[in-house]
Amino acid sequence: MNLSLRFLGVGGAQSPELGSACGVLERDGRPSLMIDCGAEALSAYLARYGEPPRAVYVTHTHMDHVGGLERLFYRLYFDESWRGRVRLYAHAALVPLLQARIADYPEVLAEGGANFWDAFALVPLSRGFWHDGMWFDVFATRHHAPNSSFGLSLGGSFVWTGDTRPVPEMLSRYAAHGEMVAHDCSLVGNPSHTGVDDLEREYPQELRTRLVLYHYASLADAEHMRRCGYRVAHREENAVLASPLRVVEPVGAV
């Protein structure tokens, strides 16, 4: 298989001009898994691929990462060929937060008769999940409250941290096989996000050479980080990936 990771958006919540932070795993040139679904991210996805995502992984429930799910509900629910067919992967700890943030509204349709989750195939998970014949590990990150944000690793291929402070203890395990690591980073860190000085303090040099930084505040900040020697993702960049470690043929395949 040929895999790549497209950065549909690389900005933070206050940088909509850079697009909502979002990655799309492409397999043989076709989208396989959308990572996060902010409002700008959904618009970018529809513009590029011409149809809704068939699978979405949610890192956490801040609105710049899940704000597109309400619009996606309407797009799916009123089309019987899509209703209930889009897989939404989320750590079990996020399910109550998703319910509170986007689904718990009196009557999702004024006419009644519909539940928010009717439009999706919600897949709660803990350690990880199978998708498209590949195993994805899921790990906790450091963003706001404990157990409220989770990164994603396709072993041997790539890691997506989502919004996070440095997580050396996690990356020493989930990025231990040469994976490209898409990492949240701005010039200056804060209690919820990583800064350049954090990278240099927390991560070994070998890992830093594999980082691709995103979720930054401006193009000027991105250029500054490049001058510091880091690879910085730009919007619509499509990074070629190595083959994953765990792949299976679908049940019943010949």
Side-chain angles (χ1 to χ4, degrees):
M1 70 177 72
N2 296 308
L3 296 181
S4 61
L5 182 66
R6 185 176 298 277
F7 291 83
L8 274 190
V10 293
Q14 298 185 67
S15 307
E17 68 280 2
L18 299 175
S20 303
C22 171
V24 178
L25 177 64
E26 296 184 357
R27 178 172 179 171
D28 298 327
R30 298 180 59 83
S32 175
L33 180 67
M34 182 183 191
I35 306 172
D36 284 337
C37 188
E40 288 87 5
L42 180 59
S43 295
Y45 190 102
L46 294 171
R48 166 154 289 277
Y49 301 110
E51 65 178 22
R54 296 180 180 273
V56 179
Y57 172 77
V58 173
T59 63
H60 67 291
T61 61
H62 277 157
M63 295 307 289
D64 57 319
H65 295 260
V66 297
L69 291 178
E70 182 181 60
R71 180 154 57 100
L72 186 56
F73 164 85
Y74 291 112
R75 173 65 177 80
L76 302 176
Y77 185 80
F78 291 105
D79 187 334
E80 291 187 2
S81 66
W82 282 92
R83 186 189 302 164
R85 297 180 182 274
V86 172
R87 289 196 168 195
L88 185 64
Y89 297 104
H91 193 281
L94 296 183
V95 174
L97 301 177
L98 280 169
Q99 176 66 23
R101 296 284 277 178
I102 61 172
D104 190 14
Y105 187 84
E107 299 294 1
V108 64
L109 298 180
E111 307 93 301
N115 305 299
F116 185 86
W117 299 114
D118 292 342
F120 301 91
L122 178 62
V123 183
L125 52 97
S126 54
R127 295 179 297 105
F129 59 97
W130 287 100
H131 173 72
D132 205 5
M134 298 174 283
W135 173 259
F136 294 82
D137 286 299
V138 170
F139 58 93
T141 60
R142 298 176 177 175
H143 184 61
H144 285 257
N147 290 319
S148 67
S149 185
F150 297 87
L152 184 70
S153 172
L154 180 59
S157 188
F158 81 96
V159 172
W160 184 276
T161 66
D163 294 7
T164 190
R165 294 288 298 153
V167 282
E169 72 285 0
M170 293 300 184
L171 296 188
S172 67
R173 175 177 178 180
Y174 294 105
H177 299 93
E179 294 86 351
M180 184 193 82
V181 180
H183 201 296
D184 167 19
C185 191
S186 291
L187 281 185
V188 180
N190 60 46
S192 296
H193 297 278
T194 299
V196 172
D197 60 330
D198 296 315
L199 299 178
E200 297 172 357
R201 182 182 63 254
E202 298 284 350
Y203 294 139
Q205 173 62 23
E206 187 280 328
L207 178 59
R208 296 202 302 271
T209 64
R210 294 188 276 126
L211 298 179
V212 181
L213 307 183
Y214 74 100
H215 206 282
Y216 45 85
S218 68
L219 292 177
D221 284 4
E223 181 57 31
H224 185 97
M225 292 189 289
R226 289 189 183 98
R227 291 198 299 269
C228 290
Y230 290 99
R231 179 180 171 186
V232 182
H234 59 80
R235 192 173 186 179
E236 283 290 350
E237 178 176 352
N238 200 20
V240 175
L241 300 174
S243 297
L245 299 175
R246 296 184 68 184
V247 181
V248 298
E249 291 294 330
V251 174
V254 177

